[in-house]
Amino acid sequence: MNAAPNDDIILEARNLTKEFKGFVAVKEVNLQVKRGTIHALIGPNGAGKSTVFNLLTKFLTPTRGQILYKGRDITRTKPADIALMGLVRSFQISAVFPHLSVLENVRVALQRPLGTSFHFWKSESTLYDLHDRALELIEAVNLTPWAGHTAAELPYGRKRALEIATTLALDPEVMLLDEPLAGMGHEDIEGTAALIKRVAADRTVLMVEHNLSVVAHLSDTITVLRRGEILAEGPYEVVSKNPQVMEAYMGTGHA
């Protein structure tokens, strides 16, 4: 049975719990992601953030609890089906093809909603439409000079930009980003963070991170996990001053 929808809340977890052979990895997590915001799910290593993310994106099934998308219960819905609803996970399902060009990668992604990656029988005008839309998406992520380069040739930060472009090709209402800033140098972090901010202008973003400082000026709301439970939640100004959060990050180099 679905609850009455709250238009302000687009994605919600209620009492979300995940056990692995008696070990409680996630315990009674209640999370509300507001429409049109960037919401970061963070925590030190072992905090349970990846497990929560995998539950929300349906790559894991909860032991107990409920997940709602736009008021609809999706707790038992398959990942492919929630993607069609507009809830799209990036950097996992949007893996790029290293030996295809940037343009070809985005065109393949645009063809996915049609039911198959390659429609050889489609009219030439349809393929031109995909080509034009692909160029628009490439421009949106600042990859126009790289359009003819293979994905394998791209520097690390630009590969992440390509992955965002292929995710945008699925026209998501909610983008779920799995550590989009991991492994980046300072310059790439700034550029990718700015890109995420830009593409979030007309959609909702939920991202997993372990580094509190890199989401400081990017996120509207930060949820901090520790040992599978929510430790604190709110804007960076509030969360970063929480004594329990400071303790959780003490000595990790991420506070």
Side-chain angles (χ1 to χ4, degrees), residues 173-190:
E173 190 168 1
V174 179
M175 287 182 68
L176 300 136
L177 308 182
D178 189 3
E179 299 202 21
L181 308 173
M184 291 188 180
H186 183 70
E187 184 178 331
D188 279 340
I189 285 176
E190 286 190 350

PDB file of all heavy atoms in Angstrom, residues 173-190:
ATOM      1  N   GLU A 173      15.080  12.064 -13.424  1.00  0.00           N
ATOM      2  CA  GLU A 173      14.503  13.059 -12.519  1.00  0.00           C
ATOM      3  C   GLU A 173      15.342  13.124 -11.245  1.00  0.00           C
ATOM      4  O   GLU A 173      15.498  14.175 -10.645  1.00  0.00           O
ATOM      5  CB  GLU A 173      13.053  12.693 -12.177  1.00  0.00           C
ATOM      6  CG  GLU A 173      12.316  13.785 -11.445  1.00  0.00           C
ATOM      7  CD  GLU A 173      10.817  13.541 -11.370  1.00  0.00           C
ATOM      8  OE1 GLU A 173      10.346  12.502 -11.875  1.00  0.00           O
ATOM      9  OE2 GLU A 173      10.115  14.385 -10.800  1.00  0.00           O
ATOM     10  N   VAL A 174      15.873  11.954 -10.855  1.00  0.00           N
ATOM     11  CA  VAL A 174      16.788  11.878  -9.721  1.00  0.00           C
ATOM     12  C   VAL A 174      18.071  11.195 -10.182  1.00  0.00           C
ATOM     13  O   VAL A 174      18.031  10.084 -10.711  1.00  0.00           O
ATOM     14  CB  VAL A 174      16.181  11.084  -8.537  1.00  0.00           C
ATOM     15  CG1 VAL A 174      17.187  11.008  -7.386  1.00  0.00           C
ATOM     16  CG2 VAL A 174      14.880  11.716  -8.072  1.00  0.00           C
ATOM     17  N   MET A 175      19.216  11.856  -9.991  1.00  0.00           N
ATOM     18  CA  MET A 175      20.515  11.262 -10.300  1.00  0.00           C
ATOM     19  C   MET A 175      21.141  10.775  -9.000  1.00  0.00           C
ATOM     20  O   MET A 175      21.237  11.521  -8.030  1.00  0.00           O
ATOM     21  CB  MET A 175      21.443  12.289 -10.951  1.00  0.00           C
ATOM     22  CG  MET A 175      21.102  12.630 -12.376  1.00  0.00           C
ATOM     23  SD  MET A 175      22.294  13.821 -13.087  1.00  0.00           S
ATOM     24  CE  MET A 175      23.776  12.829 -13.186  1.00  0.00           C
ATOM     25  N   LEU A 176      21.570   9.529  -8.999  1.00  0.00           N
ATOM     26  CA  LEU A 176      22.206   8.937  -7.834  1.00  0.00           C
ATOM     27  C   LEU A 176      23.672   8.707  -8.164  1.00  0.00           C
ATOM     28  O   LEU A 176      24.002   7.865  -9.004  1.00  0.00           O
ATOM     29  CB  LEU A 176      21.498   7.630  -7.465  1.00  0.00           C
ATOM     30  CG  LEU A 176      20.012   7.816  -7.138  1.00  0.00           C
ATOM     31  CD1 LEU A 176      19.173   6.745  -7.796  1.00  0.00           C
ATOM     32  CD2 LEU A 176      19.780   7.810  -5.644  1.00  0.00           C
ATOM     33  N   LEU A 177      24.543   9.459  -7.534  1.00  0.00           N
ATOM     34  CA  LEU A 177      25.965   9.464  -7.882  1.00  0.00           C
ATOM     35  C   LEU A 177      26.767   8.729  -6.821  1.00  0.00           C
ATOM     36  O   LEU A 177      26.736   9.090  -5.645  1.00  0.00           O
ATOM     37  CB  LEU A 177      26.476  10.900  -8.030  1.00  0.00           C
ATOM     38  CG  LEU A 177      25.689  11.831  -8.958  1.00  0.00           C
ATOM     39  CD1 LEU A 177      26.343  13.203  -9.027  1.00  0.00           C
ATOM     40  CD2 LEU A 177      25.570  11.227 -10.353  1.00  0.00           C
ATOM     41  N   ASP A 178      27.523   7.736  -7.258  1.00  0.00           N
ATOM     42  CA  ASP A 178      28.302   6.899  -6.350  1.00  0.00           C
ATOM     43  C   ASP A 178      29.748   7.396  -6.297  1.00  0.00           C
ATOM     44  O   ASP A 178      30.552   7.118  -7.178  1.00  0.00           O
ATOM     45  CB  ASP A 178      28.256   5.448  -6.848  1.00  0.00           C
ATOM     46  CG  ASP A 178      28.863   4.474  -5.860  1.00  0.00           C
ATOM     47  OD1 ASP A 178      29.278   4.904  -4.769  1.00  0.00           O
ATOM     48  OD2 ASP A 178      28.931   3.276  -6.179  1.00  0.00           O
ATOM     49  N   GLU A 179      30.061   8.187  -5.267  1.00  0.00           N
ATOM     50  CA  GLU A 179      31.390   8.763  -5.063  1.00  0.00           C
ATOM     51  C   GLU A 179      31.950   9.390  -6.337  1.00  0.00           C
ATOM     52  O   GLU A 179      33.014   8.994  -6.837  1.00  0.00           O
ATOM     53  CB  GLU A 179      32.347   7.719  -4.489  1.00  0.00           C
ATOM     54  CG  GLU A 179      31.881   7.192  -3.131  1.00  0.00           C
ATOM     55  CD  GLU A 179      33.007   6.597  -2.297  1.00  0.00           C
ATOM     56  OE1 GLU A 179      34.176   6.924  -2.548  1.00  0.00           O
ATOM     57  OE2 GLU A 179      32.706   5.813  -1.395  1.00  0.00           O
ATOM     58  N   PRO A 180      31.266  10.397  -6.888  1.00  0.00           N
ATOM     59  CA  PRO A 180      31.696  10.997  -8.154  1.00  0.00           C
ATOM     60  C   PRO A 180      33.032  11.733  -8.060  1.00  0.00           C
ATOM     61  O   PRO A 180      33.653  11.999  -9.082  1.00  0.00           O
ATOM     62  CB  PRO A 180      30.560  11.971  -8.478  1.00  0.00           C
ATOM     63  CG  PRO A 180      29.951  12.298  -7.153  1.00  0.00           C
ATOM     64  CD  PRO A 180      30.046  11.036  -6.358  1.00  0.00           C
ATOM     65  N   LEU A 181      33.465  12.080  -6.841  1.00  0.00           N
ATOM     66  CA  LEU A 181      34.705  12.841  -6.685  1.00  0.00           C
ATOM     67  C   LEU A 181      35.871  11.986  -6.208  1.00  0.00           C
ATOM     68  O   LEU A 181      36.973  12.497  -5.991  1.00  0.00           O
ATOM     69  CB  LEU A 181      34.479  13.996  -5.696  1.00  0.00           C
ATOM     70  CG  LEU A 181      33.274  14.903  -6.008  1.00  0.00           C
ATOM     71  CD1 LEU A 181      33.050  15.903  -4.892  1.00  0.00           C
ATOM     72  CD2 LEU A 181      33.456  15.611  -7.334  1.00  0.00           C
ATOM     73  N   ALA A 182      35.644  10.681  -6.069  1.00  0.00           N
ATOM     74  CA  ALA A 182      36.679   9.789  -5.537  1.00  0.00           C
ATOM     75  C   ALA A 182      37.892   9.732  -6.458  1.00  0.00           C
ATOM     76  O   ALA A 182      37.761   9.643  -7.676  1.00  0.00           O
ATOM     77  CB  ALA A 182      36.113   8.385  -5.337  1.00  0.00           C
ATOM     78  N   GLY A 183      39.074   9.788  -5.868  1.00  0.00           N
ATOM     79  CA  GLY A 183      40.308   9.617  -6.625  1.00  0.00           C
ATOM     80  C   GLY A 183      40.739  10.811  -7.440  1.00  0.00           C
ATOM     81  O   GLY A 183      41.691  10.717  -8.225  1.00  0.00           O
ATOM     82  N   MET A 184      40.071  11.949  -7.270  1.00  0.00           N
ATOM     83  CA  MET A 184      40.389  13.127  -8.075  1.00  0.00           C
ATOM     84  C   MET A 184      41.359  14.047  -7.363  1.00  0.00           C
ATOM     85  O   MET A 184      41.373  14.149  -6.139  1.00  0.00           O
ATOM     86  CB  MET A 184      39.109  13.917  -8.396  1.00  0.00           C
ATOM     87  CG  MET A 184      38.169  13.238  -9.347  1.00  0.00           C
ATOM     88  SD  MET A 184      36.829  14.357  -9.806  1.00  0.00           S
ATOM     89  CE  MET A 184      35.905  13.277 -10.904  1.00  0.00           C
ATOM     90  N   GLY A 185      42.141  14.767  -8.168  1.00  0.00           N
ATOM     91  CA  GLY A 185      42.961  15.845  -7.647  1.00  0.00           C
ATOM     92  C   GLY A 185      42.113  17.079  -7.414  1.00  0.00           C
ATOM     93  O   GLY A 185      40.934  17.130  -7.803  1.00  0.00           O
ATOM     94  N   HIS A 186      42.701  18.097  -6.788  1.00  0.00           N
ATOM     95  CA  HIS A 186      41.953  19.293  -6.396  1.00  0.00           C
ATOM     96  C   HIS A 186      41.271  19.959  -7.588  1.00  0.00           C
ATOM     97  O   HIS A 186      40.097  20.333  -7.523  1.00  0.00           O
ATOM     98  CB  HIS A 186      42.893  20.281  -5.706  1.00  0.00           C
ATOM     99  CG  HIS A 186      42.196  21.513  -5.208  1.00  0.00           C
ATOM    100  ND1 HIS A 186      41.316  21.498  -4.137  1.00  0.00           N
ATOM    101  CD2 HIS A 186      42.223  22.806  -5.655  1.00  0.00           C
ATOM    102  CE1 HIS A 186      40.846  22.719  -3.936  1.00  0.00           C
ATOM    103  NE2 HIS A 186      41.386  23.529  -4.835  1.00  0.00           N
ATOM    104  N   GLU A 187      41.988  20.074  -8.703  1.00  0.00           N
ATOM    105  CA  GLU A 187      41.434  20.747  -9.885  1.00  0.00           C
ATOM    106  C   GLU A 187      40.240  19.985 -10.445  1.00  0.00           C
ATOM    107  O   GLU A 187      39.214  20.586 -10.800  1.00  0.00           O
ATOM    108  CB  GLU A 187      42.521  20.899 -10.953  1.00  0.00           C
ATOM    109  CG  GLU A 187      42.043  21.675 -12.182  1.00  0.00           C
ATOM    110  CD  GLU A 187      43.160  21.863 -13.202  1.00  0.00           C
ATOM    111  OE1 GLU A 187      44.338  21.926 -12.780  1.00  0.00           O
ATOM    112  OE2 GLU A 187      42.848  21.929 -14.401  1.00  0.00           O
ATOM    113  N   ASP A 188      40.350  18.657 -10.524  1.00  0.00           N
ATOM    114  CA  ASP A 188      39.244  17.846 -11.035  1.00  0.00           C
ATOM    115  C   ASP A 188      38.048  17.881 -10.092  1.00  0.00           C
ATOM    116  O   ASP A 188      36.893  17.871 -10.537  1.00  0.00           O
ATOM    117  CB  ASP A 188      39.692  16.399 -11.238  1.00  0.00           C
ATOM    118  CG  ASP A 188      40.445  16.207 -12.553  1.00  0.00           C
ATOM    119  OD1 ASP A 188      40.284  17.059 -13.444  1.00  0.00           O
ATOM    120  OD2 ASP A 188      41.190  15.227 -12.674  1.00  0.00           O
ATOM    121  N   ILE A 189      38.308  17.905  -8.777  1.00  0.00           N
ATOM    122  CA  ILE A 189      37.213  17.983  -7.798  1.00  0.00           C
ATOM    123  C   ILE A 189      36.408  19.252  -8.026  1.00  0.00           C
ATOM    124  O   ILE A 189      35.172  19.221  -8.076  1.00  0.00           O
ATOM    125  CB  ILE A 189      37.753  17.932  -6.354  1.00  0.00           C
ATOM    126  CG1 ILE A 189      38.182  16.500  -6.002  1.00  0.00           C
ATOM    127  CG2 ILE A 189      36.698  18.419  -5.356  1.00  0.00           C
ATOM    128  CD1 ILE A 189      38.821  16.366  -4.633  1.00  0.00           C
ATOM    129  N   GLU A 190      37.090  20.378  -8.176  1.00  0.00           N
ATOM    130  CA  GLU A 190      36.392  21.651  -8.375  1.00  0.00           C
ATOM    131  C   GLU A 190      35.559  21.630  -9.653  1.00  0.00           C
ATOM    132  O   GLU A 190      34.405  22.064  -9.672  1.00  0.00           O
ATOM    133  CB  GLU A 190      37.391  22.815  -8.410  1.00  0.00           C
ATOM    134  CG  GLU A 190      37.962  23.174  -7.048  1.00  0.00           C
ATOM    135  CD  GLU A 190      38.748  24.474  -7.094  1.00  0.00           C
ATOM    136  OE1 GLU A 190      39.007  24.983  -8.205  1.00  0.00           O
ATOM    137  OE2 GLU A 190      39.099  24.985  -6.005  1.00  0.00           O
TER     138      GLU A 190
END
